[in-house]
Amino acid sequence: EGAATILRSTLNNNAGAIVSAGGAVSIANSTLTENGGLIGRAGGVTNVSGSVTLYNSTGSHNTTAGLHGAGLFTYPAGVTIMYNSVVAHNTYFLTAAETDCTGPVTFIGPNLVKVLAGCTVGGTMPTEATSLTSGFNPVVSVSTTRISFSFIKD
């Protein structure tokens, strides 16, 4: 337990970028990409029982060996909040099927999750935060002060 803040960082090529099993984790202005998770873990963020806040951050191109979100996996005892963040293009390791999110997540303001299947979304969900339909891919631009995204037809 305790608290951790990850600020202006890139977590890349890890065996699961972040696992929270209690306490509070804040991730701000950061990128989690190309991380791999084992069964029961996401490649990006796994929140077992703590509090995780993603602020102006991106989780993309992470993988998992389990049947759950490769970008963001929140167990029922965890609390995950997204603010102005992107979780997209995360996949199952064996099939390459996209799986961005599993479990409860609260949206505050605009967010983008490419595949919402598996997520239980609460909070505010403006139209730009809805799941993308097949055939569109987000183009994400990340700076230390903001994230912007647009959509390009495949």
Side-chain angles (χ1 to χ4, degrees):
E1 293 198 28
T5 300
I6 298 163
L7 181 62
R8 292 186 295 271
S9 299
T10 299
L11 293 117
N12 180 258
N13 289 320
N14 296 289
I18 296 171
V19 177
S20 173
V25 177
S26 297
I27 306 160
N29 303 319
S30 296
T31 301
L32 298 94
T33 186
E34 298 178 0
N35 299 290
L38 302 173
I39 293 174
R41 302 262 164 90
V45 176
T46 302
N47 185 1
V48 177
S49 62
S51 166
V52 173
T53 302
L54 293 164
Y55 179 80
N56 288 343
S57 294
T58 299
S60 70
H61 297 91
N62 297 292
T63 61
T64 184
L67 298 175
H68 49 70
L72 179 61
F73 182 21
T74 304
Y75 284 76
V79 174
T80 301
I81 298 169
M82 286 179 61
Y83 178 82
N84 198 40
S85 293
V86 176
V87 177
H89 295 294
N90 299 286
T91 58
Y92 292 127
F93 177 73
L94 297 174
T95 66
E98 288 196 57
T99 172
D100 291 318
C101 180
T102 298
V105 61
T106 300
F107 281 7
I108 298 175
N111 291 284
L112 184 140
V113 175
K114 184 175 182 202
V115 179
L116 277 172
C119 278
T120 306
V121 178
T124 59
M125 194 166 156
T127 56
E128 63 267 35
T130 58
S131 179
L132 299 174
T133 57
S134 173
F136 286 87
N137 286 306
V139 175
V140 180
S141 172
V142 180
S143 74
T144 57
T145 56
R146 70 177 202 215
I147 294 176
S148 61
F149 47 85
S150 57
F151 305 101
I152 295 178
K153 179 88 168 130
D154 284 342

